Amino acid sequence: MITQRIDTPSRTIPNRGTSMALPQPNRDGSRVIEDEQPDLMDLMILVQRCATESERFYRGQPHDTRFSYELFRRALVERDELAWEQLYLHYSGLVEGWIRRSGAFVSSGESSEYFVVGAFTKFWRAISAERFASFPTLASLLQYLQLCSTSVVIDSVRAQSWSEMLPEETITPTHMPHYSPDEEAMSRVDSQEFWSFINTQLHNEIERVVVYYSFILSMTPRAIYAKRSDLFNSVNDVYNVKRNVLGRLSRNQQLRMILAQ
């Protein structure tokens, strides 16, 4: 994992004699230094301890998870923007690794950096201050962050698929011996009636451009933005238009009737 190293001036630890408590490893390999209180630490000192303990973890050494957990708490419960920024810096390398290992990543047509932003955004929106208590350990938080990382890649690939436009219930069992669902979907959309109807449901030229470039020319949102940057402020705008169109069409009853014929 890529961690953020922050250099701070060294300090001398007062001599407490034999009463000074040494860190003792727990059964799970973690360690707790009893006189350190993460919730009272300055943010940058806390971040430094997160980096140190993460490094100890990857070396297989006893480590203390309280510091990273406190960083998550400040970011998600207190909605501390500086804590969130440091959390992003500390874990973005780990998240990028999860994304690159996703089976859907290669076919997504997007960069891993794009999905890192999406994963953290989804994570932020999903875990409110009230819901944070449902994640009592650092491991549970990281597992959910990993789930968000994988799902944003899958969601992106699905958004490029015809299956988002075609409700599953329109794929009748009678067709299954001859076609896979994807092949059946393509056979149904290869008709003038289908495209004429789709055109009537698009609200403006921007939506028509996104649909044409996505489903006729098979271009990714990033490629669409590169070609038609005059219509969009960012690649996210292309994604949003495409998502809105697909969502609207997937709920359209008349389209369901056309596909059921």
Side-chain angles (χ1 to χ4, degrees):
M1 181 182 69
I2 301 174
T3 56
Q4 179 76 2
R5 296 183 176 274
I6 300 176
D7 296 326
T8 58
S10 60
R11 59 191 179 111
T12 303
I13 301 177
N15 184 4
R16 301 181 182 177
T18 57
S19 63
M20 181 176 179
L22 295 176
Q24 297 296 325
N26 293 329
R27 291 181 178 180
D28 63 356
S30 64
R31 62 171 189 163
V32 173
I33 303 177
E34 294 181 356
D35 61 346
E36 290 189 303
Q37 301 182 46
D39 58 320
L40 299 180
M41 283 184 170
D42 174 80
L43 176 61
M44 303 314 291
I45 299 298
L46 179 68
V47 171
Q48 182 184 24
R49 288 308 309 270
C50 290
T52 299
E53 296 303 325
S54 293
E55 187 174 347
R56 293 182 64 85
F57 168 77
Y58 282 103
R59 288 181 177 180
Q61 299 173 344
H63 56 282
D64 192 334
T65 62
R66 294 177 303 152
F67 303 99
S68 291
Y69 188 82
E70 171 62 15
L71 185 60
F72 273 98
R73 190 196 66 79
R74 294 188 192 185
L76 297 172
V77 176
E78 298 181 5
R79 294 311 207 198
D80 185 324
E81 291 186 7
L82 292 178
W84 177 256
E85 179 181 347
Q86 292 300 322
L87 183 73
Y88 184 94
L89 290 172
H90 187 72
Y91 286 106
S92 59
L94 180 63
V95 169
E96 185 175 7
W98 288 333
I99 288 168
R100 288 186 173 277
R101 288 194 293 272
S102 170
F105 173 68
V106 174
S107 60
S108 70
E110 294 293 343
S111 67
S112 57
E113 291 83 0
Y114 171 80
F115 288 122
V116 168
V117 174
F120 276 101
T121 300
K122 186 169 188 174
F123 183 76
W124 168 273
R125 291 174 177 172
I127 304 183
S128 62
E130 295 74 21
R131 193 184 178 195
F132 185 79
S134 302
F135 300 87
T137 65
L138 176 63
S140 63
L141 286 166
L142 291 178
Q143 287 172 0
Y144 194 78
L145 181 57
Q146 183 176 16
L147 178 64
C148 290
S149 303
T150 303
S151 66
V152 293
V153 181
I154 294 174
D155 289 347
S156 175
V157 173
R158 284 177 176 172
Q160 299 175 36
S161 170
W162 283 112
S163 61
E164 288 295 308
M165 188 181 294
L166 307 177
E168 290 183 5
E169 57 266 32
T170 65
I171 308 298
T172 60
T174 57
H175 295 106
M176 295 306 291
H178 305 288
Y179 300 101
S180 69
D182 286 344
E183 291 171 335
E184 174 64 17
M186 289 303 296
S187 70
R188 293 180 181 216
V189 302
D190 188 20
S191 69
Q192 183 176 356
E193 179 186 12
F194 175 86
W195 284 110
S196 296
F197 176 78
I198 293 298
N199 189 57
T200 65
Q201 301 303 304
L202 301 178
H203 292 167
N204 50 50
E205 183 62 21
I206 291 178
E207 290 190 349
R208 291 185 177 88
V209 166
V210 170
V211 169
Y212 176 76
Y213 281 80
S214 296
F215 299 110
I216 303 300
L217 301 184
S218 300
M219 294 175 64
T220 66
R222 184 172 296 277
I224 295 172
Y225 172 65
K227 188 174 184 63
R228 295 303 307 268
S229 58
D230 58 312
L231 295 178
F232 307 99
N233 292 324
S234 69
V235 68
N236 285 334
D237 289 347
V238 182
Y239 272 105
N240 289 335
V241 171
K242 187 174 182 180
R243 187 179 299 111
N244 290 338
V245 169
L246 292 178
R248 190 168 69 243
L249 292 175
S250 68
R251 297 186 296 270
N252 188 285
Q253 293 300 318
Q254 188 174 350
L255 176 60
R256 291 170 183 263
M257 293 176 62
I258 294 173
L259 294 171
Q261 294 175 358

